[in-house]
Amino acid sequence: MNNDREHLRVLSILHFILAALLACGVCLGGLWGIVITGLFRHGLLEAAQSGEDVPVRGMFTLVVVFWIVMLVIALVYIAALVFAGFNLRARRNRTFCMVVAALTCVSFPLGTALGVFTLIVLSRDSVRELYGEGPNAARPS
């Protein structure tokens, strides 16, 4: 049991670390998006001043929408990792933690390792008992 508690504690810390790394990646991606947006806007201004037909407007809108959608998806994923980290530490919402671990497996290579290890630990009967879900689990009163 103590070994399981230690594994859950380490997994929660690793979830926080992965969320922080992904947040740094989102910041860099946001910076890159700002640079690309600036380049598109500069191209639009030059084309408008020279009186040329501007086929870039649709592409500019597409790029902005793409970056906004990717930003929202990344922020939701980061929030899910942080929430799963807190739940692992508090030993609550095992099913949510397993779903986040399964989704984390897609994030190669660090997320894959973290997701697989989280699924292995959460699948143990002794961990189910810690969550109050096993056959011998003590029900909270």
Side-chain angles (χ1 to χ4, degrees):
M1 282 284 195
N2 287 335
N3 211 11
D4 290 332
R5 286 188 174 105
E6 180 65 19
H7 289 168
L8 290 172
R9 187 185 71 78
V10 169
L11 286 173
S12 72
I13 292 169
L14 291 175
H15 275 76
F16 296 139
I17 291 172
L18 183 60
L21 289 173
L22 290 173
C24 290
V26 166
C27 289
L28 289 175
L31 181 63
W32 190 76
I34 290 170
V35 168
I36 293 298
T37 302
L39 291 174
F40 268 113
R41 289 184 68 98
H42 180 70
L44 285 172
L45 289 175
E46 279 187 3
Q49 288 174 352
S50 66
E52 296 177 17
D53 186 26
V54 186
V56 182
R57 284 186 212 274
M59 189 63 156
F60 175 71
T61 305
L62 183 66
V63 168
V64 169
V65 168
F66 172 78
W67 281 110
I68 290 172
V69 168
M70 293 308 290
L71 177 69
V72 168
I73 290 171
L75 292 177
V76 167
Y77 179 53
I78 290 168
L81 279 171
V82 170
F83 189 60
F86 283 123
N87 284 325
L88 285 167
R89 181 167 288 176
R91 294 185 294 278
R92 292 186 317 237
N93 299 324
R94 183 177 156 272
T95 304
F96 174 78
C97 293
M98 290 188 80
V99 169
V100 171
L103 292 174
T104 303
C105 288
V106 177
S107 182
F108 185 79
L110 298 176
T112 303
L114 179 60
V116 168
F117 289 132
T118 303
L119 288 171
I120 289 170
V121 169
L122 290 176
S123 297
R124 294 181 194 155
D125 288 333
S126 57
V127 172
R128 285 185 187 159
E129 291 175 13
L130 285 174
Y131 277 83
E133 297 177 5
N136 299 330
R139 301 290 175 208
S141 51

